[in-house]
Amino acid sequence: MFTITVSGTPIILWFWVHGSYAAYWPENQAPPEDLIHVIVEAPEQRVAAKRSYDDIDRADIICDALIQPFSSVPSRAGDLTSLINAPLTRKLPVSHNEETKFPLLADFIETKNDECESDLSKYISSLLTGIVEKQNLSNTSEDMLHWRVDSIIRIPLQIFHENLGGGVLPIDMDRNCKDQGTTTIGNKRPDFLCWTNNVLLFIGEEKAVIEDFPKAMNKLEEKFNKFDPMYFGNIQFMICYIAAGTRLRFFAIDGSSNINSPSRLITFSNQLEINNRRDRISILCIVVNIARIIRTMSTTIPAMIIPLGKRLKTEKSMITILGDSVEKRVSVEYLPFAGNLDDRINFLSKLYEHAKGHIGLAQVKESPKISRQGIYKVVLETRGHACQVRNEDEARVMSQCVLAGLSWLHKGGYVHRDIRLPNILFIPGDVECKYVLIDFEHANADGLVTSERLKDWDDKTLTKHNEYTTQSDLYQFGKMLRNLDTVNSEAGKNFLDGLRDKSISIENVLRHEWFG
């Protein structure tokens, strides 16, 4: 029995007297009863296996040698074929002379005295166990299939990442799951997602039965039929796999605009059989080369990328970026003014409806609602980058857009109440309005008396009667703008002073000389 650690979780590798591993289980679980056999440790075998390097894990050195960057950076799907199928830079490490036990694999694996105790060597040895073939995945659930696919794709990538470090192999991985109170995310996210510096570069779609392989192919093409530079920069492909039952195949989605083929999928491999030991090594070799591609591309990805498909946790909400929308979810216990939940949802629905079609304001796609699990959800059409204002001209343009939106809210009798830079998005490519005010969940009616303050408020935010008014919104906007420290002109400073002194009203704010 060996124990390795992946992402902080101890994993036990159980093995028989002949050295082939049964499978892996978390440390606090035993193998299923039907897989338990009498385990005998033969002293003479243990002595023979004893090496002088027992206590040294050289996984970082091995991973660095395996995951060497390619000499050229791929930019199109067609560039990937030779890289995906490139020979490995070295053989895969194993722990117990599996190259002797399985001669057909000798060209791909090797046991070395100074490497056999590494976590990577032990793990690859565990993938060669005969028990894997005995696990019937042909008539099982997708959840069980996820486990097997993870063992040959996600976990090896995680081992590479942990040993090389995020600076060398910067990846984040996630799995789609049954979302509480919503089907939007489940329908639009693939089963497996892997981001590189926020670009969704590697995905997987999985089905429980082999007959659903064509269905999985169609789902991939439907989910990613457009490559928006907001999500991909100038990258025009996405590496992917499709798994159905025990079959797995690698592809790329071609995101170029001039594609004439009836299918956007480019095939990289044959259909590989997960239950076949030789095919598992082929899958692992492809995963190694995918990691090499990721390492090669990671330094060329621009900073301003929105992470498509990623769940982004804020202090009290969960934001998921989808291809054509953004979904926001908040537990009801954190939803402001939710004493009467029906009234609150009705208020927010009217507010989002009031904002429709007006510049400077977030645009709703699906009105707010509460799930059976007590989760507030709203789906927005508005997508953009975090606001970054670098100079006074940009500060002026941002102010014009946001104040135009705020003015429209105020005309409807609403106040935003949470005006901060994180609640302003930059919308690339929008000529009419480049900046948008988002996050209406703290909003309420103008003039509401409040006993609780938000963290960015100060003693001058409210009126002397503790009312939050339209003037309070302008005061908070002015304070945010001043903190940017980019407004230095005389007109700009006068504008900031007027907002601070509450001498500029919403009716004349956009007529100030600072806006020319």
Side-chain angles (χ1 to χ4, degrees), residues 337-399:
F337 306 108
N340 186 316
L341 199 52
D342 289 339
D343 286 350
R344 186 59 182 165
I345 296 303
N346 184 53
F347 176 89
L348 290 173
S349 297
K350 290 180 177 178
L351 171 55
Y352 275 108
E353 192 65 29
H354 177 73
K356 270 190 174 180
H358 290 275
I359 64 173
L361 297 173
Q363 299 297 297
V364 70
K365 185 173 184 178
E366 296 178 18
S367 295
K369 59 184 176 182
I370 301 294
S371 72
R372 291 189 301 271
Q373 293 81 7
I375 303 295
Y376 166 86
K377 184 188 85 166
V378 61
V379 180
L380 304 171
E381 291 180 356
T382 304
R383 298 161 293 142
H385 299 288
C387 180
Q388 296 180 356
V389 176
R390 296 164 294 185
N391 54 56
E392 185 165 354
D393 287 339
E394 290 183 357
R396 185 184 296 108
V397 173
M398 182 272 289
S399 298

Side-chain angles (χ1 to χ4, degrees), residues 315-327:
E315 185 178 355
K316 295 180 179 178
S317 64
M318 176 78 77
I319 309 296
T320 304
I321 312 295
L322 303 172
D324 59 355
S325 58
V326 175
E327 182 178 281

Side-chain angles (χ1 to χ4, degrees), residues 139-157:
N139 296 296
T140 188
S141 67
E142 279 190 27
D143 287 341
M144 285 297 294
L145 179 62
H146 296 338
W147 175 84
R148 176 51 60 202
V149 172
D150 276 353
S151 71
I152 52 177
I153 293 180
R154 185 184 63 81
I155 293 179
L157 283 174

Side-chain angles (χ1 to χ4, degrees), residues 175-213:
R175 267 209 165 277
N176 200 17
C177 60
K178 296 178 181 178
D179 294 276
Q180 295 181 349
T182 178
T183 58
T184 303
I185 293 177
N187 290 336
K188 294 191 175 183
R189 294 175 91 232
D191 292 300
F192 169 80
L193 307 92
C194 177
W195 296 268
T196 304
N197 290 339
N198 281 338
V199 174
L200 185 57
L201 200 58
F202 183 31
I203 60 172
E205 192 70 32
E206 299 166 12
K207 294 295 180 184
V209 295
I210 293 173
E211 290 74 19
D212 282 343
F213 205 100

Side-chain angles (χ1 to χ4, degrees), residues 42-51:
E44 64 279 6
Q45 290 183 345
R46 182 61 183 158
V47 170
K50 188 70 175 176
R51 280 118 173 156

Side-chain angles (χ1 to χ4, degrees), residues 233-252:
N234 61 359
I235 296 172
Q236 297 182 1
F237 63 82
M238 191 184 303
I239 304 169
C240 57
Y241 69 82
I242 294 172
T246 59
R247 304 285 176 80
L248 188 146
R249 196 170 195 176
F250 289 93
F251 300 85

